[in-house]
Amino acid sequence: MLSGLGRLIHRRRWFSLVFILLVAALAGGWGLGVFAKFKAGGFEDPNASSTLVAKLGATYFGSTNPDVLVLYKSDTMTVDDPRYEAAVITTVARLPKDRVAELISYWALDNEKDAASFASRDKHETFVAVKLKGNDAKKPENYQAIKDRLRAPGLSVRYGGAVPLNEEFGEQVTADIVRAETITALPLLILLVLLFGAVVAASLPLVVAIFSMIGGLAVLHVVTYAADVTSFALEVVTMMGVGLAIDYSLFIISRFREELQRGMAAHGIPPGKPWKQERGRAARKDAKKAHRETMRPIREDALAATLATAGRTIMVSGVTVSAALAGLLLFPQMFLRTIGLAGIATVMVAVFGATVLLPTLLALLGPRVEGGRMPWRRPTSKRAQRDPDSGFWYRLGHSVMKHPLPYFAAVLVILGVLFGPFLHVQFGSVDARVLPKDSVTRAVVETVKKDFPNGSAEPIDVVISGDLIPRNWRPTKTGDNIPPYLEDFRKKLAAEPGVTEAKFTGYSGTYGGVRISVTHKYEPMDQHAQDLVKSIRAMSLVKDGYPMHIDVGGSTAAQMDLMSSLMRSLPKMAIAVGLATFILLFMFFGSVVLPLKAIVMNVLSIGASFGAIVWGFQYGHLAGLLNFTPTGGVEATSMILILAVVFGLSMDYEVFLLSRIREEWDRTHDNRAAVARGMQHTGGIITSAALLFLVVVAAFSLAGITVVKLIGVGMFVAVVVDAALVRSLLVPATMRFMGAANWWLPGPLAFLHARMDLREHGPAAAGAATVAVPPPLPEEQPYPYRVHWEQATAEPDAPAPSAAAPPAPAPPAPAPPVVAPTPVPTPSHAPMVGANDAFRPAFRPTPGGSPNGERPQLVFRDAPPRPAAQQAPWAPWANGQPQPRPVRPPRVRRRIVPSPDGNGWTWSSD
């Protein structure tokens, strides 16, 4: 099927190019609208009790996190100065009422204790809490409308709160993407030129990467209509899309060049521009035209074979990565679900770019893909003439297969050391510290926590609801009697260990609920604070025999609910992703052992990545290098995201390696040789792909948002470990231990796999073989002949043995009858000889009539190579110039006319 796609693309290459350009233009215009659709947050469990408390606070009780927090400061005046008060009050009084729903300031509170929390300890700073009108989509617009009006005369002003924080996140994400693409463009081009050895070939992956980035933005915009999307998703999706597009392009281009060179060698066409050897302009023009006509079928065959092999591997890899990302959809958090949806679509865009856009460009370029060839890429260079079975990766594969135990033990020790720090992991939540140190919004939050009373306090919010809450009671009004059962419950909360205060902070007659804020002396993520939340949740409140609803919120409760939600969903993700990956790899490789081994290898890479994250971010060892503020923990949802992404990327390289090993195994059935040759063909490509991906990830590791840094570092370490240790050393060592068991497939599953096989079984795949080798011999011969293999000679005078004409006369002793095999005709210009068609059997009787009872020999020889002297060099119009098409006779026009006799109608020819 994929080989047919390659031929179709080659024949309709111009139409394909125009279609893709139109799609890219439309996607680019559509994708720009995603920047206005981002939503804040997305890390909480929407079904948790703490999330309900936060929503009730924003809807009924008044949120403790205002939409806009305006921080005013004076170096000379204090908040008790009438001039300070007049400057602030007159400023906020001018705000339009259609934009602002509520204002709370230091001078609006009657209770001195409550008012004190709105002024700094030195009373030179105060803040005004602003609640905006409208929904989440309307609030940013309202904020921009009042932002300039919040400036007070004689005072400095800074902005914080949820809306400015979300706005700064979006601006930082855009700046990070622009900086990352600017930083990586030139290094990627230089590395691609060094790897490909040609400027034209090196530029193609960048074209696919740009297309993938444009498609990723368009896909992310589509996702915003199905779910809320956080700004973090844009950086993660862009990083994955660009990295995978370059990796996939590397495999497609490398295989196309390999197939193109093989086809040209089979037809005797030298590389480069052979028509330039002709003398005279007309001769060169005719030779160039002849070369182009000769190359057309070769180019089509090369493209078909490329998509049948590397293209199929890329599609399987894309589906495997998507299956890993699909595990994120099992989590309730918006952050994970949106990245899962957008990530799957982005991977599919990268696969489309590598299997449709890139083949279209290759079909247009053909041999011109070698344009701008570097000296080491020329046919006369030592590198080009090197034996393919003597490269570094081939020798490394043989070394690992020869001494598997030392390599296996050394890699396990390294992975164990890398995993060690993860045993002491501490999970935390996302706050303003994920922004850069020079962030204005972060500075406002840190100033309030440091300089204001109770600024660092993060209370536990307890919401009591039920029909028995008084409808006409107002806890903030003086003289209202507090219902005894509510006051008793408040005192019960205040008596808990570590609690410094418990007070009523909100009431809603519409909802029928009241909120009590419990202030404690512990840090939000401290174990004592978590024990306090558990103790409050274990309480009960009953009035007149009717139980009341008690919901607990706040940062501590939210983090506990988040971890509980992740732990409930993680086993489901592991089972679903593991099962889907096993089925896909079973369909592709036809083995039960290889999929299980691949999953285990990926888990080892993930463990090493997690350990490096804890060491760098929780312990803060990378804080100076990457310029971030360590928080003493790592964000839990980011670790889940890294788990899915790294699992997919690791499986990506596993599929590339094992697919080539499987090709060699199908040809030779020699486990050791298959691993060595598979590593030789893919080791350099996988290493190059990993290096290119690391350049992209490293640029995003320098992002301004700490969460993106964490994800980038996690992916960086995982790719390094996977490419340098797991795929290069651990995989071949384990395959040496298991031997032929790597390819074990029980009988019932073999029948099932025959109906589900994802490998190509057409002529394009058969033509991709590089060397014709003898098929394996059975241990017990079921026929009365001894089988012997001989290497054919290239001497033209030595005729090849034939079954119909044996090389030696038959002895006088009787011998068993011999059935001459049917000769298989071989075309004179066949571009490739299959493994089963290259060998010709010949009967060789035993001399002397088999005196020792030995059976006659049945000799197989591979097809002798064509002598160099008989192989004519390529020449234009070797079989004569093509004849012009015969002139068609003029077209006869026929029309219907009335019959001469007046009865009806008849045909008439002009």
Side-chain angles (χ1 to χ4, degrees):
M1 181 181 69
L2 289 180
S3 60
L5 175 63
R7 297 185 186 279
L8 177 64
I9 290 174
H10 183 269
R11 294 165 187 169
R12 299 289 184 267
R13 49 192 178 273
W14 286 109
F15 173 81
S16 176
L17 180 63
V18 172
F19 174 76
I20 293 174
L21 289 177
L22 290 176
V23 170
L26 294 176
W30 170 258
L32 293 177
V34 73
F35 294 97
K37 296 296 186 70
F38 292 134
K39 300 293 178 65
F43 297 91
E44 71 280 350
D45 181 3
N47 303 317
S49 172
S50 58
T51 306
L52 174 62
V53 171
K55 291 180 178 179
L56 291 176
T59 306
Y60 298 106
F61 305 129
S63 176
T64 56
N65 186 19
D67 294 329
V68 182
L69 192 149
V70 189
L71 184 63
Y72 295 102
K73 181 181 180 180
S74 173
D75 295 331
T76 58
M77 297 183 292
T78 65
V79 293
D80 297 328
D81 192 319
R83 295 174 297 172
Y84 199 127
E85 178 181 359
V88 175
I89 295 301
T90 56
T91 298
V92 299
R94 298 185 306 118
L95 297 178
K97 294 183 179 180
D98 60 333
R99 305 282 188 178
V100 178
E102 184 182 10
L103 290 168
I104 303 177
S105 67
Y106 170 81
W107 301 276
L109 299 173
D110 298 331
N111 190 323
E112 292 186 7
K113 189 174 182 180
D114 293 338
S117 62
F118 276 70
S120 62
R121 293 183 179 89
D122 60 4
K123 293 195 173 184
H124 284 280
E125 291 179 288
T126 185
F127 62 82
V128 177
V130 182
K131 183 178 180 181
L132 300 173
K133 286 186 176 180
N135 53 22
D136 292 339
K138 189 69 175 178
K139 286 181 178 180
E141 179 183 342
N142 291 336
Y143 168 65
Q144 292 298 329
I146 69 170
K147 183 177 180 180
D148 293 336
R149 298 188 181 187
L150 291 171
R151 300 182 181 277
L155 304 176
S156 64
V157 60
R158 291 182 292 177
Y159 308 103
V163 175
L165 183 67
N166 188 35
E167 182 184 68
E168 187 169 355
F169 267 120
E171 294 174 354
Q172 187 64 51
V173 165
T174 305
D176 288 343
I177 292 176
V178 173
R179 181 173 60 251
E181 301 302 331
T182 304
I183 292 175
T184 58
L186 184 59
L188 281 177
L189 180 60
I190 295 174
L191 284 175
L192 287 169
V193 170
L194 294 176
L195 294 173
F196 282 122
V199 176
V200 174
S203 62
L204 295 180
L206 298 180
V207 175
V208 180
I210 294 173
F211 174 82
S212 179
M213 187 170 60
I214 294 174
L217 291 177
V219 166
L220 200 60
H221 194 181
V222 173
V223 173
T224 60
Y225 288 90
D228 293 337
V229 176
T230 177
S231 55
F232 291 111
L234 181 60
E235 291 201 66
V236 176
V237 166
T238 303
M239 178 168 49
M240 287 185 54
V242 173
L244 288 177
I246 292 177
D247 279 6
Y248 291 161
S249 301
L250 185 64
F251 282 88
I252 289 289
I253 295 173
S254 300
R255 192 61 184 252
F256 177 76
R257 297 167 84 186
E258 180 182 335
E259 297 294 339
L260 193 64
Q261 289 177 358
R262 182 182 296 115
M264 293 174 64
H267 287 76
I269 301 177
K273 301 177 180 179
W275 62 84
K276 288 191 174 182
Q277 300 177 2
E278 300 293 329
R279 295 184 178 180
R281 183 175 180 180
R284 284 195 297 269
K285 184 177 180 180
D286 292 340
K288 183 177 181 179
K289 184 178 180 181
H291 183 269
R292 185 166 55 249
E293 294 294 331
T294 307
M295 285 299 302
R296 183 176 288 111
I298 299 175
R299 185 174 57 205
E300 181 177 340
D301 291 342
L303 198 61
T306 298
L307 287 185
T309 52
R312 183 170 297 269
T313 302
I314 285 173
M315 286 192 173
V316 173
S317 172
V319 174
T320 306
V321 176
S322 299
L325 292 173
L328 298 176
L329 302 180
L330 301 176
F331 292 88
Q333 285 75 17
M334 180 191 75
F335 173 69
L336 297 176
R337 293 172 66 89
T338 55
I339 290 185
L341 287 172
I344 293 172
T346 302
V347 172
M348 293 297 102
V349 171
V351 171
F352 177 84
T355 57
V356 178
L357 171 60
L358 185 56
T360 300
L361 299 177
L362 293 175
L364 292 171
L365 291 172
R368 292 191 296 271
V369 74
E370 301 287 351
R373 184 177 297 174
M374 298 293 107
W376 59 85
R377 180 68 186 172
R378 294 171 183 168
T380 56
S381 65
K382 294 182 179 179
R383 183 176 179 180
Q385 299 176 358
R386 184 186 303 164
D387 184 4
D389 288 345
S390 63
F392 167 78
W393 293 104
Y394 184 84
R395 296 193 302 270
L396 179 62
H398 268 294
S399 177
V400 176
M401 299 292 278
K402 187 177 181 180
H403 309 286
L405 186 58
Y407 285 102
F408 182 81
V411 173
L412 285 186
V413 169
I414 296 174
L415 294 179
V417 172
L418 291 175
F419 178 75
F422 186 69
L423 299 175
H424 307 284
V425 64
Q426 295 290 332
F427 294 105
S429 58
V430 174
D431 55 28
R433 289 177 293 180
V434 302
L435 289 171
K437 294 180 180 180
D438 57 352
S439 166
V440 176
T441 308
R442 173 181 171 177
V444 170
V445 175
E446 292 180 341
T447 300
V448 171
K449 286 187 175 183
K450 181 181 64 174
D451 298 337
F452 284 70
N454 299 325
S456 61
E458 297 189 23
I460 299 172
D461 294 328
V462 183
V463 174
I464 305 167
S465 58
D467 291 336
L468 297 179
I469 297 293
R471 297 288 179 176
N472 58 353
W473 173 65
R474 297 292 185 271
T476 58
K477 286 187 177 181
T478 305
D480 283 353
N481 295 322
I482 299 176
Y485 70 97
L486 291 178
E487 178 63 21
D488 293 341
F489 187 75
R490 186 196 66 80
K491 292 179 179 179
K492 186 178 180 181
L493 292 174
E496 285 291 314
V499 174
T500 58
E501 184 183 18
K503 63 179 181 179
F504 295 103
T505 57
Y507 165 79
S508 173
T510 304
Y511 180 74
V514 62
R515 181 177 66 189
I516 303 175
S517 294
V518 180
T519 306
H520 54 85
K521 61 182 181 181
Y522 307 119
E523 290 293 327
M525 297 298 110
D526 188 80
Q527 185 61 43
H528 293 89
Q530 298 184 31
D531 293 339
L532 180 58
V533 171
K534 294 177 182 178
S535 177
I536 295 175
R537 285 179 169 174
M539 294 180 180
S540 61
L541 178 61
V542 179
K543 182 177 184 294
D544 298 335
Y546 293 92
M548 310 295 288
H549 295 284
I550 300 176
D551 296 294
V552 182
S555 59
T556 305
Q559 183 63 25
M560 294 173 62
D561 291 340
L562 173 63
M563 294 305 302
S564 176
S565 172
L566 295 179
M567 290 302 103
R568 288 195 307 268
S569 303
L570 186 58
K572 300 177 186 177
M573 173 193 176
I575 294 174
V577 174
L579 186 61
T581 302
F582 178 85
I583 293 175
L584 285 171
L585 296 185
F586 166 77
M587 295 168 62
F588 191 57
F589 295 127
S591 169
V592 176
V593 177
L594 288 181
L596 295 176
K597 183 182 67 64
I599 294 173
V600 174
M601 296 293 111
N602 288 3
V603 171
L604 294 176
S605 298
I606 293 170
S609 175
F610 281 3
I613 288 174
V614 172
W615 180 83
F617 288 85
Q618 180 176 313
Y619 296 165
H621 293 295
L622 295 178
L625 178 63
L626 299 180
N627 191 26
F628 66 89
T629 302
T631 61
V634 292
E635 206 282 315
T637 55
S638 300
M639 302 297 283
I640 298 295
L641 174 62
I642 292 174
L643 173 65
V645 173
V646 168
F647 187 90
L649 291 177
S650 300
M651 194 61 68
D652 184 39
Y653 296 138
E654 182 84 9
V655 169
F656 290 148
L657 174 62
L658 294 183
S659 62
R660 200 59 185 258
I661 293 178
R662 178 73 205 200
E663 285 186 32
E664 299 296 333
W665 167 261
D666 289 339
R667 294 193 309 104
T668 64
H669 286 266
D670 185 341
N671 184 67
R672 184 168 180 173
V675 173
R677 290 198 181 103
M679 287 186 62
Q680 172 61 22
H681 284 289
T682 61
I685 299 177
I686 290 177
T687 304
S688 302
L691 182 61
L692 295 170
F693 194 86
L694 290 178
V695 173
V696 176
V697 172
F700 281 94
S701 299
L702 302 176
I705 301 175
T706 304
V707 174
V708 179
K709 295 177 187 285
L710 186 147
I711 296 171
V713 170
M715 295 172 65
F716 187 95
V717 174
V719 170
V720 171
V721 169
D722 196 76
L725 297 178
V726 176
R727 307 303 159 202
S728 301
L729 303 177
L730 198 58
V731 169
T734 53
M735 295 191 74
R736 177 68 176 88
F737 288 145
M738 289 184 285
N742 288 303
W743 318 100
W744 177 64
L745 187 63
L749 292 181
F751 173 77
L752 180 63
H753 177 261
R755 306 179 68 99
M756 303 167 58
D757 195 356
L758 292 179
R759 290 173 296 166
E760 188 88 1
H761 295 285
T770 56
V771 182
V773 296
L777 301 179
E779 296 180 358
E780 297 182 1
Q781 304 294 341
Y783 36 82
Y785 305 105
R786 290 181 295 124
V787 177
H788 178 67
W789 291 98
E790 290 185 358
Q791 181 69 30
T793 60
E795 298 176 3
D797 298 336
S802 171
V818 178
V819 179
T822 303
V824 180
T826 304
S828 57
H829 296 287
M832 186 59 55
V833 181
N836 295 328
D837 298 334
F839 302 95
R840 302 291 181 265
F843 173 67
R844 179 181 295 173
T846 304
S850 236
N852 299 327
E854 295 183 358
R855 293 172 294 172
Q857 287 187 353
L858 192 63
V859 180
F860 285 81
R861 293 186 180 182
D862 57 346
R866 188 176 182 181
Q870 298 180 6
Q871 186 171 357
W874 177 84
W877 313 123
N879 298 324
Q881 293 191 6
Q883 299 297 323
R885 292 182 179 180
V887 180
R888 293 183 178 181
R891 184 176 180 181
V892 178
R893 294 184 59 188
R894 303 180 65 192
R895 56 193 179 94
I896 300 176
V897 297
S899 299
D901 56 1
N903 296 323
W905 302 81
T906 184
W907 287 100
S908 174
S909 300
D910 293 340

